[in-house]
Amino acid sequence: MPPAVPPPTSVPQGPIEDGDQYRPQLGRAPQGDFMRPTGRTLRAGSEARANGVGVQAEDTRICVVMVGLPARGKSLIAQKVVRYLGWLSITAKCFNVGSYRRTNTPNPSASFFDTSNKEGERLRMAAAEEAVKDMVKWFQSPDNLIAILDATNSTKTRRRWIKDRCDAEGIETLFVESKCDQEDLIMANIKEVKLTSPDYEGQDPEEAAQDFRQRITMYERVYETLDEDESDMTYCKIINVGSQVIINRIQDYLQSRVVYYLMNLHIKPRSIWISRHGESEYNLSGQIGGDADLSARGQQYAKMLPDLVSKSAGDLPLTVWTSTLKRTAQTARHLPYEKLSWKALDELDSGVCDGLTYADIEEKYPQDFKARDEDKYNYRYLGGESYRDVVIRLEPIIMELERSENILIVTHQAVLRCIYAYFMGSSQEKSPWMEVPLHCLIKLTPRAYKTEEERMVANVPAVSTWREKGSAAVHAEATPNPSAMGTPVIKPEEKA
Amino acid sequence: MDTLLTADLAAKAPNFRDRRKSSTYVDAIHDLPEKESMAPAQLYSTESGRLFHSGRIVIATVGLPARGKTHTSVALARYLRWLGVKTHIFHLGDYRREFLGSDAAVPEDYFHVNASTQSVLLRNKVIQRCRQDILRFLNHENGQIAIYDAVNPLATGRRALAKEFEKQNVHTMFIESHCTDERIIEENVRSVKISSPDYKGPGWTPDKAVRDYLDRINKKIPHFESMEAGEEASYVKLINAGERVVVNNCSHNYLLNRIVFYLLNLHIKSRQIYFCRAGTTRDEDSYKADASLSTEGESYSRKMGDALVAHRESELQALVAAGAPESTALKPLTVWTSTRRRTVETAEYLASLGYRVRQRSQMSQLNPGVCEKMSERKIRQQFPEEVAKHQQDPYHHRYPRAESYHDLAVRLEPIILELEREQNDVLIIAHESVLRVLYGYLLACSAADIPNLSFPRDEIIEIIPASYNNESKRIHIPGLPQKIVPASPEDIKIPVPQSGAVSPMSGLGTPQQGSGARTPEPAAKESGGLPLRNPGGAPPADPKS
């Protein structure tokens, strides 16, 4: 899993590398797997055999094929889809043809992409073949449902070849074209790519940008958009970041779900800031849940927050989202931006344990305390919620977040973990245990190849509300060193 | 003229506009909920009743008759209400009929661009009234989405409409049903339009009726402009029943995207949905043990299969007798089961007859949590507080470690969309709790009623989705031993409120005749028709006690 990569100290690299995949823990999932498609539910013949009947659930395996010129946000979209599906417990993986090609030609110049360059053409086809072969192999495991083939796939011949290959393997294809002719957006993307693409690692940014523009010209010469000739294919064509979307021949629910998500995406550069509320009276007493006021130190954090935010965001227009609980509204009250409060951002409902301390819970509900440690993601408090439940109710928030630009969210520990897991692709096993200290502002910037994270700690002490798996209830003073615990481990970084 | 079927139904229900409650087996999609109650699959609630990340929206249909506009409107309203969005449909045709009277003919030039002054006046009056009602619903009744079901044939008219609503801070989105495939139109006309009394009689063959109907439309509405890319409006253009979908300027709104998501799964072909229970098992009460069918259960599966096949055959005969061509064939039937053994095995007999069976993991029953295998008395003893809470809100309450009906509804969303997507007839074999929720969606039941719906084992429920509203019918399965008939024994036994509890549906408090096993049809029609379990009566007999 990506978060296991030891992070460098400052700008830590986000989780998704080419070819990474998420394997949500499905074993102990309750029978209501949210949004899980109906195909392939019988894993490796387990129940099918146990049922003793010859009826098999059908396989739904989808290859999402990206289509479009370079700098149209294809890789960004591909990575987001993988993360989103993983978050919803659907196993997906991205196959980036560029990374296959890179093994032979790590830093190609633009002329490599000239169609009259026979050698370049051959190598690129070989990379595509390699990627498709690996993908087909990956699909042999019954848990694997959606693959994303990330490449320009800019000609009809290439697309037909992919479709035929997939048809032969019984894999559905969904072509996703991002077509964009807004200059400013393309330029922003070029800047983005030249900063982050492995093709230009260590090169002069100006030269890289120029080479990249030339590469785009090479592709433009042969580029064919999806059109009537391909009306037999299942495709989704997104024109100018969703101002028009054409959807052709959707075949099943899972495909429609992917298209729904794509329609909510935009590829404009933006960041999301998230923070927990300031320290509350309940944090001081070690109680969970409730609707307590901020402590004196919490109020101090609220006062410092505008400064902390403006240091990071500059004059960017922001919107602040809070939950409906007092402590988040109080934390956001000095922020000079428009505010919205969302019921869906309220803290995980701890049911009968609301208002108790971890020590109380351990004493009163010892079995529950243990059960929660064993499978925190799926554990549902008596009369309350599990992390899985929170993910379900956050779905509209995530969609809204995808459609918005710069947002600052002030919310609660469990909710923050779920939102963080969505952006960073953390596993269901680890995300409920992630440590997010109080009085710390996190900035997330989704980029084509990763989500970047930055943490800014306010100089206001607070209790730690973090409890390590299997440990008794801790209730420590002062922020402990987070690098020693939790996951994904990212060192807090003091921003001058 | 736009929808003869609407006319038909409106004529049958004289007080159409005042009718706030459906009476019989017909679904409640055209009723305004009387009290604010949480919707079956609502993810979160707000005080205003509106989801916050969307404003108020008018969804206006665009398209010539017989393109599936009414069907799309009604289906969409059903889904939105299910999600907890307060939605109401305004059929312009209903308003026109109200002005003209249901039997009067529409003036020949009513839809013409250069109509006579008289027709224009009438037209404006009709439109005015309908729009007044829409605005009242949005501005004063906490409505969030008004679906305006009309032809809206001209680009200028559409622009004016959007502008008018914009003034009230209401966003307009158009949904056009566009067909380039004549066969789809003809099939649609054949299946819903020519059932009108106009086409009864010896002189009419179906083909002739279809042609006459289409001719009449073309004469009546000679000017029609399809939505084009140049229009700034938010629109969704459904081409050939959703084969291709063009979405224009919708990306700024959560609900609009959600609507498109739903429309991607919708089609306008007609088909039948059947519900039935799984057979009884050897290890009767266990949720966790995935038991096989008992001998009785196996015999049930054969009797159920035979009853269904015989019923479908007789429907076909009736159709032919009513004038359909000899070559008319039944739609293929697919059987859906959960992955639980009892449902899979109940489908085995039908599988052996050649019907296709598919398993869906989401359709496993409501998880009873700690109440599994407990008798009602024991549950009352051990969890008196939970029982009290459950009685207050049986839909949302969870017993310890259990799922609520609300949880179940949320998890069934993929099934609901796949059900909309399915073009064949479908038989769903599932646990009673799952049937309740699916039935609740298809017939727009309120969340409060869903936990009390009853599906005795000796009946197959047939749901006939139609454009204007869905209907349900019961097919008796003969020859079953009485003891396997009553409502689900493996269910949590508490949910029935004690007698005297107020029923939210008027007329439902009437106790039924007989043992309560099978609802006699005429009685059900009088008493409100929802298959409520022992409404107001004694709790079901506990087979264990």
Side-chain angles (χ1 to χ4, degrees):
Chain A
M1 295 316 303
V5 178
T9 41
S10 64
V11 186
Q13 301 303 293
I16 299 210
E17 305 276 327
D18 289 339
D20 265 333
Q21 82 175 64
Y22 295 97
R23 255 177 201 290
Q25 302 298 306
L26 291 168
R28 291 177 52 86
Q31 60 330 103
D33 251 354
F34 177 54
M35 300 307 174
R36 194 169 160 82
T38 52
R40 321 200 91 208
T41 41
L42 302 182
R43 278 175 294 286
S46 53
E47 280 185 70
R49 217 168 290 142
N51 279 339
V53 281
V55 187
Q56 286 281 347
E58 274 128 273
D59 288 1
T60 307
R61 297 176 301 170
I62 304 174
C63 173
V64 177
V65 187
M66 302 305 300
V67 176
L69 289 167
R72 262 63 176 185
K74 290 189 305 298
S75 292
L76 179 70
I77 294 172
Q79 299 297 354
K80 275 181 170 289
V81 171
V82 169
R83 278 200 303 260
Y84 172 69
L85 293 170
W87 194 66
L88 294 180
S89 307
I90 298 168
T91 314
K93 178 170 169 161
C94 182
F95 294 83
N96 181 305
V97 175
S99 69
Y100 284 85
R101 187 254 307 144
R102 237 166 263 133
T103 49
N104 285 322
T105 39
N107 302 103
S109 70
S111 62
F112 177 84
F113 299 93
D114 190 337
T115 39
S116 59
N117 178 345
K118 286 281 171 274
E119 180 60 7
E121 182 79 355
R122 192 188 66 79
L123 284 173
R124 283 184 292 126
M125 186 63 200
E129 267 168 12
E130 204 57 31
V132 170
K133 221 167 85 193
D134 274 5
M135 177 187 80
V136 169
K137 214 167 110 200
W138 179 80
F139 267 132
Q140 282 167 5
S141 161
D143 260 347
N144 298 341
L145 297 166
I146 299 194
I148 295 161
L149 195 62
D150 180 15
T152 50
N153 298 314
S154 50
T155 62
K156 289 181 181 173
T157 329
R158 173 63 61 89
R159 295 196 287 267
R160 187 60 67 183
W161 173 77
I162 295 170
K163 184 174 190 300
D164 290 346
R165 273 301 309 264
C166 288
D167 283 355
E169 301 287 340
I171 299 164
E172 294 174 4
T173 42
L174 165 63
F175 291 86
V176 174
E177 178 174 0
S178 171
K179 190 169 187 289
C180 175
D181 45 28
Q182 290 171 354
E183 262 317 307
D184 51 331
L185 253 163
I186 298 169
M187 279 316 293
N189 265 306
I190 290 177
K191 248 171 80 188
E192 169 92 23
V193 171
K194 92 181 173 213
L195 280 172
T196 57
S197 166
D199 276 353
Y200 294 107
E201 232 172 84
Q203 292 191 23
D204 174 61
E206 274 313 303
E207 270 173 42
Q210 201 169 2
D211 183 86
F212 193 64
R213 240 167 294 174
Q214 233 181 320
R215 189 198 290 193
I216 295 174
T217 322
M218 299 295 176
Y219 274 110
E220 273 169 348
R221 279 188 213 152
V222 292
Y223 180 58
E224 295 164 309
T225 185
L226 280 161
D227 65 17
E228 296 302 326
D229 297 345
E230 288 161 301
S231 60
D232 63 315
M233 293 183 175
T234 297
Y235 68 79
C236 169
K237 182 167 168 176
I238 302 165
I239 300 161
N240 287 334
V241 203
S243 70
Q244 193 171 69
V245 183
I246 297 167
I247 304 154
N248 197 54
R249 287 189 188 274
I250 292 299
Q251 296 160 49
D252 55 39
Y253 169 78
L254 190 51
Q255 289 183 350
S256 73
R257 179 109 211 146
V258 172
V259 169
Y260 167 54
Y261 177 68
L262 291 172
M263 287 179 54
N264 282 296
L265 289 184
H266 68 74
I267 52 175
K268 294 178 200 158
R270 56 82 175 264
S271 296
I272 289 142
W273 286 264
I274 36 181
S275 170
R276 293 176 62 188
H277 53 82
E279 184 187 73
S280 73
E281 296 290 350
Y282 261 36
N283 292 147
L284 280 178
S285 54
Q287 290 163 280
I288 64 170
D291 191 8
D293 289 314
L294 290 186
S295 71
R297 292 191 298 197
Q299 287 172 17
Q300 217 181 325
Y301 175 66
K303 274 197 195 121
M304 289 178 68
L305 196 55
D307 223 29
L308 206 59
V309 172
S310 72
K311 262 186 204 151
S312 171
D315 326 320
L316 284 175
L318 285 182
T319 308
V320 180
W321 294 358
T322 66
S323 74
T324 62
L325 298 170
K326 279 191 285 190
R327 51 195 188 277
T328 61
Q330 288 173 4
T331 306
R333 81 173 137 201
H334 303 295
L335 290 163
Y337 310 107
E338 189 197 336
K339 294 179 196 105
L340 269 173
S341 79
W342 297 75
K343 181 89 180 139
L345 288 173
D346 282 3
E347 180 60 312
L348 183 142
D349 180 356
S350 45
V352 292
C353 296
D354 192 78
L356 301 184
T357 66
Y358 282 127
D360 291 339
I361 300 171
E362 197 171 6
E363 192 195 314
K364 277 186 149 172
Y365 306 96
Q367 280 185 335
D368 287 89
F369 193 73
K370 210 167 138 269
R372 186 153 197 261
D373 266 14
E374 271 163 21
D375 186 3
K376 198 171 175 185
Y377 189 79
N378 290 311
Y379 172 83
R380 181 184 273 149
Y381 274 113
L382 242 120
E385 288 178 304
S386 65
Y387 273 85
R388 186 179 288 276
D389 294 336
V390 173
V391 163
I392 292 170
R393 84 161 130 95
L394 280 177
E395 202 257 3
I397 293 274
I398 292 296
M399 289 297 175
E400 192 64 19
L401 211 45
E402 284 301 348
R403 270 202 326 281
S404 317
E405 294 190 23
N406 299 300
I407 301 286
L408 165 60
I409 304 173
V410 181
T411 178
H412 308 264
Q413 180 161 265
V415 174
L416 194 151
R417 281 173 176 153
C418 293
I419 296 175
Y420 184 93
Y422 167 77
F423 281 104
M424 303 302 277
S426 334
S427 73
Q428 294 176 357
E429 203 178 18
K430 290 177 173 173
S431 69
W433 295 101
M434 188 188 80
E435 215 239 338
V436 202
L438 284 164
H439 302 177
C440 167
L441 180 66
I442 302 173
K443 179 188 181 188
L444 298 175
T445 310
R447 298 218 187 269
Y449 292 92
K450 63 194 173 281
T451 299
E452 275 171 16
E453 171 180 343
E454 235 180 88
R455 288 194 183 196
M456 290 140 283
V457 177
N459 193 18
V460 182
V463 293
S464 166
T465 56
W466 184 76
R467 189 179 67 79
E468 198 175 354
K469 183 170 180 169
S471 76
V474 288
H475 181 216
E477 185 61 22
T479 314
N481 177 8
S483 65
M485 47 186 68
T487 177
V489 187
I490 287 128
K491 273 207 169 140
E493 191 196 9
E494 198 84 52
K495 271 265 153 161
Chain B
M1 179 74 197
D2 46 3
T3 304
L4 291 171
L5 189 76
T6 320
D8 241 14
L9 268 147
K12 279 185 211 149
N15 304 321
F16 182 78
R17 259 175 54 77
D18 302 324
R19 198 182 58 125
R20 309 282 278 201
K21 274 272 155 235
S22 284
S23 51
T24 57
Y25 286 151
V26 174
D27 76 279
I29 192 64
H30 296 282
D31 302 336
L32 278 171
E34 263 163 18
K35 57 178 174 15
E36 298 299 328
S37 60
M38 205 175 171
Q42 190 158 341
L43 292 184
Y44 61 95
S45 60
T46 59
E47 266 164 43
S48 69
R50 297 192 186 111
L51 297 188
F52 358 169
H53 44 319
S54 273
R56 293 162 304 160
I57 302 170
V58 168
I59 295 174
T61 59
V62 175
L64 289 167
R67 265 65 172 182
K69 288 191 307 299
T70 301
H71 177 88
T72 308
S73 313
V74 173
L76 195 55
R78 193 182 304 286
Y79 178 66
L80 289 168
R81 280 208 198 164
W82 169 258
L83 291 179
V85 182
K86 193 164 175 189
T87 308
H88 196 60
I89 316 169
F90 298 84
H91 300 283
L92 189 61
D94 291 343
Y95 286 84
R96 190 187 60 240
R97 273 182 291 275
E98 189 182 286
F99 271 88
L100 288 169
S102 60
D103 293 328
V106 179
E108 266 314 308
D109 62 348
Y110 185 82
F111 292 98
H112 289 196
V113 175
N114 49 355
S116 64
T117 326
Q118 211 181 359
S119 286
V120 171
L121 276 177
L122 174 66
R123 209 160 66 188
N124 288 347
K125 251 199 273 179
V126 169
I127 291 174
Q128 201 65 32
R129 172 71 81 80
C130 182
R131 291 183 190 174
Q132 268 168 15
D133 279 4
I134 289 176
L135 285 173
R136 193 180 60 223
F137 172 70
L138 293 175
N139 290 336
H140 304 296
E141 294 172 13
N142 270 336
Q144 183 154 27
I145 293 193
I147 299 179
Y148 176 45
D149 178 18
V151 179
N152 291 312
L154 299 178
T156 48
R158 294 192 290 258
R159 261 198 299 277
L161 181 79
K163 223 167 143 186
E164 185 190 321
F165 285 126
E166 206 62 62
K167 273 190 222 148
Q168 304 267 346
N169 208 9
V170 173
H171 187 77
T172 309
M173 166 172 154
F174 296 93
I175 297 181
E176 176 175 354
S177 309
H178 183 84
C179 283
T180 55
D181 187 343
E182 285 298 321
R183 282 169 308 179
I184 295 175
I185 301 171
E186 279 175 25
E187 192 192 317
N188 202 21
V189 172
R190 191 164 291 138
S191 64
V192 296
K193 304 290 182 181
I194 59 173
S195 51
S196 142
D198 291 6
Y199 295 111
K200 296 266 149 63
W204 290 106
T205 66
D207 281 342
K208 203 170 155 198
V210 168
R211 232 163 299 126
D212 178 79
Y213 180 87
L214 290 173
D215 267 1
R216 276 170 60 196
I217 289 174
N218 291 339
K219 281 206 197 86
K220 284 253 175 185
I221 313 176
H223 302 281
F224 181 83
E225 296 161 10
S226 186
M227 310 272 320
E228 292 302 335
E231 293 191 47
E232 268 175 38
S234 300
Y235 69 80
V236 177
K237 191 165 169 175
L238 301 167
I239 301 161
N240 292 338
E243 180 184 293
R244 190 182 174 91
V245 180
V246 179
V247 183
N248 195 61
N249 274 334
C250 287
S251 59
H252 51 275
N253 188 296
Y254 173 80
L255 271 180
L256 294 190
N257 279 338
R258 188 97 199 180
I259 287 166
V260 174
F261 171 48
Y262 178 75
L263 291 176
L264 287 178
N265 287 292
L266 193 66
H267 65 79
I268 55 171
K269 305 206 172 109
S270 64
R271 52 32 209 280
Q272 245 83 292
I273 298 168
Y274 306 94
F275 286 165
C276 76
R277 301 262 309 279
T280 48
T281 56
R282 273 177 254 163
D283 187 1
E284 190 54 73
D285 270 14
S286 185
Y287 164 76
K288 283 179 196 133
D290 194 3
S292 279
L293 289 187
S294 60
T295 333
E296 270 161 355
E298 279 164 21
S299 133
Y300 162 81
S301 82
R302 281 188 299 275
K303 283 174 181 156
M304 182 275 293
D306 289 338
L308 181 67
V309 172
H311 170 76
R312 285 166 57 82
E313 194 50 45
S314 74
E315 295 270 281
L316 179 65
Q317 295 308 329
L319 222 63
V320 172
E326 287 289 333
S327 59
T328 309
L330 285 166
K331 280 212 163 204
L333 175 77
T334 309
V335 183
W336 291 6
T337 70
S338 74
T339 47
R340 313 278 300 173
R341 219 178 276 211
R342 75 188 65 160
T343 62
V344 174
E345 291 181 1
T346 305
E348 255 172 47
Y349 175 68
L350 283 165
S352 75
L353 297 181
Y355 293 95
R356 207 160 134 245
V357 179
R358 302 181 68 183
Q359 298 175 12
R360 326 290 248 184
S361 65
Q362 293 99 331
M363 294 206 313
S364 52
Q365 74 187 75
L366 189 100
N367 185 339
V370 297
C371 294
E372 189 193 7
K373 284 194 163 182
M374 282 191 186
S375 70
E376 180 175 343
R377 192 187 311 147
K378 203 166 161 203
I379 296 172
R380 283 187 191 281
Q381 257 170 17
Q382 286 204 349
F383 305 103
E385 285 168 29
E386 297 293 333
V387 170
K389 277 190 213 155
H390 192 98
Q391 282 175 349
Q392 261 175 14
D393 188 357
Y395 190 79
H396 294 100
H397 174 258
R398 292 178 185 123
Y399 278 101
R401 300 282 88 81
E403 275 181 303
S404 67
Y405 276 95
H406 183 242
D407 295 334
L408 181 60
V410 171
R411 110 158 111 93
L412 282 173
E413 156 143 349
I415 294 294
I416 281 169
L417 289 182
E418 292 203 44
L419 202 52
E420 291 295 356
R421 168 165 284 285
E422 182 66 59
Q423 309 225 353
N424 293 333
D425 290 348
V426 186
L427 166 67
I428 294 178
I429 304 177
H431 186 264
E432 198 170 26
S433 54
V434 174
L435 298 183
R436 285 183 187 130
V437 171
L438 293 177
Y439 186 95
Y441 166 75
L442 288 167
L443 278 285
C445 303
S446 86
D449 290 336
I450 288 174
N452 292 322
L453 298 172
S454 166
F455 298 90
R457 202 170 260 117
D458 65 343
E459 285 175 349
I460 299 168
I461 304 278
E462 178 181 20
I463 306 220
I464 309 149
S467 301
Y468 195 71
N469 48 11
N470 295 343
E471 280 180 58
S472 80
K473 236 173 32 185
R474 287 154 179 247
I475 303 154
H476 181 60
I477 304 172
L480 290 177
Q482 188 55 34
K483 71 169 185 175
I484 74 162
V485 169
S488 183
E490 64 267 50
D491 195 14
I492 304 169
K493 289 165 207 73
I494 291 303
V496 185
Q498 293 309 293
S499 57
V502 183
S503 165
M505 306 282 280
S506 54
L508 283 177
T510 322
Q512 288 169 2
Q513 303 293 310
S515 68
R518 200 168 84 84
T519 314
E521 297 218 357
K525 274 195 178 122
E526 280 156 25
S527 69
L530 282 172
L532 280 198
R533 172 159 48 162
N534 293 309
D542 183 348
K544 288 231 152 165
S545 57

